[in-house]
Amino acid sequence: MIQQHGGNIGQLSNILDFSANINPLGEPESVKKAVAETVCDIEKYPDPYCTELRDRLGKHEKIGAERIVCGNGADDLIFRIVHAFRPERALICVPTFSEYSRALSETGCEIQEHILDEELDFELGESILMNLERSLDMCFICTPNNPTGRLIAPEILAKISVKCLENNIILVCDECFMGFVEDSENYSLRQFLNEKCIILKAFTKLFAMAGIRLGYAVCGSSEIALKIQQSGQFWSVSALAQTAGIAALDETEYVNKTVRYITEERRFLAAELAKIGVKLYDGAANFLMFRSRIELAEMLLAEGILIRVCANFRGLTYGFYRVAVRTHDENIRLINAVRRFLNG
């Protein structure tokens, strides 16, 4: 059976991993250096409140540090948010990241699904507004969405934000891949932030820090932030992760270089895959979703290339795949392999 995700490759060896959406430029040298220097202090407990990191994040996000909560990756924060507020009824859009439903299911929450239409390339549109009823306690959205890569149009984000505020619904917007997007500030919920909003962000993907778990939540109020902070384990963020995050926040040029590189390579990869004849979905992140033959993943794995099989995403079936945008040479290797298998 083919593995779904290469983040835990297991017994596979010599694999070119297109299944995990990590920055192909690798982690910044400043982050490596900062982590190495912190190793000398690992006998000390980390700051449970991430005081320095939150202060730096507050300046970075132009918001008070009291409205920021740090966690052991964005996944940790998803579970902490759900356990903090224990919604009785919540809305998610499918297909999307599976951890939302996993966290909600842990608390016995009734989950309502808003189905994204393949005929509309899985774009989230105004139809979601009809589902944002007063009976809901929480709503999860994701932009760019995982696995589709689709951005939510700013005018739709604005309407969702207003509707959730009017109906007393906590809106959780996952923006963990927003750092790879051109003009990201124009697509972020940050511009429509209100007291019912929570924005999730992570260092994991953008700074290639998957092994150092670090995410944070930007909250619409200090009350929401405090409630999340008080949920979950006390020492949730290691000293190494806090140090890495502080160092990463200085890497402005690294981020700009990443956005330029990912944008160029994603367009190249999409254009070449389209020439081969796969069905591509218009994404804006550091990955692409497409549809092709159900045997494709096994064929590629036989050549040492692992891609993400999306059949375990609600709303998708076998034949849907997600591939990360990697280095140019690696992208060419993938393109050539797909062309060989599909066009003989």
Side-chain angles (χ1 to χ4, degrees):
M1 184 182 74
I2 191 164
Q3 301 211 8
Q4 298 285 355
H5 190 290
N8 183 11
I9 291 177
Q11 296 181 350
L12 300 178
S13 59
N14 300 317
I15 289 294
L16 178 53
D17 186 5
F18 277 86
S19 74
N21 308 317
I22 306 298
N23 192 334
L25 300 183
E27 60 279 355
E29 288 301 318
S30 64
V31 172
K32 292 181 182 179
K33 181 180 178 183
V35 170
E37 291 173 351
T38 306
V39 167
C40 299
D41 295 323
I42 59 173
E43 79 279 3
K44 301 175 184 177
Y45 279 98
D47 174 7
Y49 304 107
C50 303
T51 308
E52 183 179 358
L53 176 57
R54 287 171 53 240
D55 182 62
R56 291 291 306 278
L57 283 168
K59 292 181 173 64
H60 177 74
E61 295 288 346
K62 299 180 176 60
I63 198 169
E66 72 279 1
R67 291 164 65 182
I68 292 175
V69 184
C70 296
N72 185 30
D75 287 13
D76 173 45
L77 289 164
I78 291 167
F79 281 80
R80 288 170 67 178
I81 289 167
V82 171
H83 280 267
F85 295 98
R86 293 196 167 268
E88 293 184 5
R89 190 162 178 256
L91 179 70
I92 62 172
C93 304
V94 297
T96 196
F97 189 43
S98 61
E99 295 303 282
Y100 314 142
S101 58
R102 282 190 60 202
L104 292 166
S105 295
E106 270 197 6
T107 61
C109 178
E110 177 189 341
I111 300 172
Q112 180 179 336
E113 295 180 340
H114 175 78
I115 308 298
L116 301 175
D117 193 342
E118 183 184 357
E119 292 187 0
L120 300 177
D121 283 356
F122 299 104
E123 181 179 11
L124 180 62
E126 284 198 14
S127 59
I128 190 177
L129 299 176
M130 294 185 294
N131 296 129
L132 296 175
E133 306 166 343
R134 286 190 175 273
S135 60
L136 285 178
D137 302 301
M138 187 172 287
C139 173
F140 279 91
I141 57 176
C142 184
T143 182
N145 189 31
N146 179 14
T148 67
R150 296 304 305 265
L151 284 165
I152 301 174
E155 60 270 21
I156 302 299
L157 273 179
K159 291 178 180 179
I160 293 171
S161 177
V162 169
K163 192 73 177 287
C164 286
L165 179 61
E166 290 175 346
N167 289 343
N168 199 33
I169 302 167
I170 295 173
L171 175 62
V172 184
C173 183
D174 186 341
E175 296 188 2
C176 287
F177 291 100
M178 189 64 78
F180 295 100
V181 176
E182 284 186 303
D183 302 320
S184 58
E185 59 277 358
N186 294 324
Y187 292 96
S188 174
L189 181 67
R190 182 69 181 80
Q191 58 193 317
F192 311 116
L193 192 70
N194 62 50
E195 64 193 58
K196 302 301 291 186
C197 294
I198 303 168
I199 301 174
L200 292 175
K201 299 194 175 187
F203 289 79
T204 304
K205 313 294 185 181
L206 183 59
F207 294 99
M209 288 164 46
I212 300 178
R213 310 295 301 156
L214 181 60
Y216 65 99
V218 176
C219 302
S221 72
S222 57
E223 290 77 17
I224 280 182
L226 180 60
K227 198 161 185 177
I228 299 169
Q229 178 67 48
Q230 292 173 338
S231 177
Q233 60 173 313
F234 191 55
W235 289 286
S236 61
V237 183
S238 72
L240 298 179
Q242 292 183 44
T243 299
I246 291 167
L249 287 171
D250 288 329
E251 289 288 344
T252 304
E253 181 49 38
Y254 168 91
V255 173
N256 293 336
K257 180 181 178 181
T258 293
V259 172
R260 293 192 298 268
Y261 187 88
I262 291 296
T263 301
E264 181 179 345
E265 282 300 314
R266 185 184 65 248
R267 289 171 178 166
F268 166 74
L269 183 58
E272 294 301 313
L273 288 173
K275 290 177 186 177
I276 298 170
V278 305
K279 166 60 178 174
L280 276 162
Y281 300 92
D282 185 25
N286 63 324
F287 55 84
L288 290 168
M289 192 177 82
F290 65 91
R291 192 170 193 174
S292 186
R293 291 169 52 183
I294 60 174
E295 305 92 349
L296 180 62
E298 294 287 357
M299 293 174 173
L300 290 172
L301 188 59
E303 286 221 355
I305 299 175
L306 181 65
I307 64 176
R308 178 65 158 90
V309 177
C310 293
N312 68 330
F313 283 93
R314 289 274 296 165
L316 299 180
T317 59
Y318 283 100
F320 283 95
Y321 303 103
R322 189 193 68 198
V323 293
V325 177
R326 293 184 59 95
T327 67
H328 187 69
D329 288 345
E330 290 169 334
N331 293 335
I332 289 175
R333 181 177 164 188
L334 173 68
I335 291 162
N336 289 338
V338 173
R339 180 182 295 113
R340 186 163 59 253
F341 289 134
L342 297 186
N343 296 343

